[in-house]
Amino acid sequence: MTVRLEQLRRCHFAVDLGAARTRVYVKGAGLVVDQPSVAAVNTRSGSLMGVGDFAERMTGRTPGYIRVVRPISGGTVVDIEMAQRMLRQLLGDKVRRALRRNLRLRAAACTPHGADPLAQRATVETLVGLGARRVELVDTLIAAAVGCGLPVERPEATMIMMCGAAATQVAVLSLGAVVTAERVPVGGEVVDQAIVQHLRHAHELILPSQSVRPLQLALSGNGLTSQGPSSTVINGRDVVTGLARSVRVDTAAVREAIETPLTAVLDGIGKVLRDCPPDLVADLADRGITMVGGSALLPGFEQMLRQATGMPVHIAETPDICAIQGIGAMLEGRIEPLVLNPLAA
């Protein structure tokens, strides 16, 4: 870990390529990009019509010759060329010129735990295309734990749950490394799809993709628990007639539809605890689980986990940007390596 930190301190910028959002941290400047990982392309000319927030607003509203694409899926770059073009536009000319002044530009990037070599290579090639001469890869779980202030360097158990758009990663950390981890292919996108399918089958209503989040916000407060709001009105399109229609949705049924895919997350937590050494599990009884990632803000998710596991569950102060904050702290040198034998110093 000492050598890794020394290498990271030489990096000039860091990138967190998420399925939902892309974030860029520039050394000395902080977080400069926090935009959706979306690009809109003119299929006739091949030119970019927009990226980030502007492209996301175009989703489902474009004519046939404009295609909205997501070059990143599950934290893995699936279209290197498009990811590079998107990053160039998100960074802007001013930031790119400032980075080019470094003759030996170094970059750091977050990668999902257990990512295969092909996925890691795609991330490296994406940043090399932006001018980086060397790319350091950092485990997203480690970066997120550092970003939310967990004592990952100590010989004590820390349990973190990274709730992403495409997947959820659960891990126990100790001594600056991952002791055991499990990846569950359930994230915010699966929850959104469960809501859409429920409304289609129960109410014969097609819900626009941009209306899913407002429905989740209607479950705010106690959210997924039974003390939440009893009903809410949602607008959509009738499956049979194709006309616009408003229906009053029973939120208890929506909560049940959401809980179905989330049970897989509970199974992942149980597997991690079973694979973890008993001494570390004893530490977790008091410290519990720390939730990070954008999907950690799903209303009521925290209460559901607390009731199902009997463990304390906490949401990080800024769960959506913990990973990029953590890797930024490593770049700035705010994280000190573990001293293995302080008495000998």
Side-chain angles (χ1 to χ4, degrees), residues 249-308:
V249 178
D250 181 12
T251 52
V254 176
R255 285 194 294 269
E256 184 178 349
I258 290 175
E259 288 176 358
T260 301
L262 292 181
T263 54
V265 177
L266 299 178
D267 295 338
I269 294 174
K271 187 176 186 305
V272 168
L273 292 175
R274 288 193 298 271
D275 296 341
C276 187
D279 290 342
L280 294 181
V281 174
D283 293 342
L284 297 175
D286 295 329
R287 298 183 180 175
I289 306 170
T290 301
M291 299 174 63
V292 298
S295 297
L297 298 173
L298 181 66
F301 195 12
E302 175 192 6
Q303 294 96 318
M304 175 187 170
L305 291 176
R306 188 180 294 115
Q307 293 173 3

Side-chain angles (χ1 to χ4, degrees), residues 22-37:
T22 292
R23 299 177 175 92
V24 180
Y25 186 102
V26 176
K27 192 173 184 178
L31 186 63
V32 298
V33 173
D34 184 2
Q35 295 276 344
S37 305

Side-chain angles (χ1 to χ4, degrees), residues 17-70:
L17 297 170
R21 300 185 73 87
T22 292
R23 299 177 175 92
V24 180
Y25 186 102
V26 176
K27 192 173 184 178
L31 186 63
V32 298
V33 173
D34 184 2
Q35 295 276 344
S37 305
V38 186
V41 186
N42 187 325
T43 56
R44 295 175 179 173
S45 62
S47 61
L48 278 180
M49 303 293 294
V51 296
D53 287 323
F54 181 67
E56 189 174 51
R57 290 196 299 268
M58 296 169 66
T59 304
R61 304 172 184 270
T62 60
Y65 65 93
I66 297 178
R67 187 165 56 98
V68 178
V69 298
R70 293 182 177 271

Side-chain angles (χ1 to χ4, degrees), residues 177-193:
V178 177
V179 177
T180 179
E182 183 71 15
R183 183 182 186 274
V184 182
V186 173
E189 294 175 354
V190 175
V191 173
D192 293 349
Q193 189 62 28

Side-chain angles (χ1 to χ4, degrees), residues 134-158:
R134 184 183 177 92
V135 179
E136 301 289 344
L137 299 179
V138 181
D139 194 316
T140 304
L141 294 171
I142 300 292
V146 171
C148 60
L150 296 178
V152 295
E153 288 292 331
R154 299 178 186 173
E156 303 167 353
T158 300

Side-chain angles (χ1 to χ4, degrees), residues 70-153:
R70 293 182 177 271
I72 302 160
S73 176
T76 302
V77 179
V78 294
D79 188 337
I80 296 176
E81 181 183 358
M82 186 57 64
Q84 290 173 349
R85 296 176 66 185
M86 181 187 72
L87 276 171
R88 289 192 190 101
Q89 291 296 320
L90 290 175
L91 285 171
D93 294 336
K94 183 177 180 180
V95 176
R96 292 208 311 272
R97 282 198 299 267
L99 291 176
R100 285 199 206 103
R101 293 172 188 157
N102 301 292
L103 298 180
R104 294 195 58 82
L105 185 64
R106 290 173 176 250
C110 293
T111 56
H113 180 73
D116 58 79
L118 197 60
Q120 294 179 0
R121 183 178 178 86
T123 301
V124 171
E125 289 187 6
T126 300
L127 298 186
V128 167
L130 293 178
R133 299 295 182 90
R134 184 183 177 92
V135 179
E136 301 289 344
L137 299 179
V138 181
D139 194 316
T140 304
L141 294 171
I142 300 292
V146 171
C148 60
L150 296 178
V152 295
E153 288 292 331

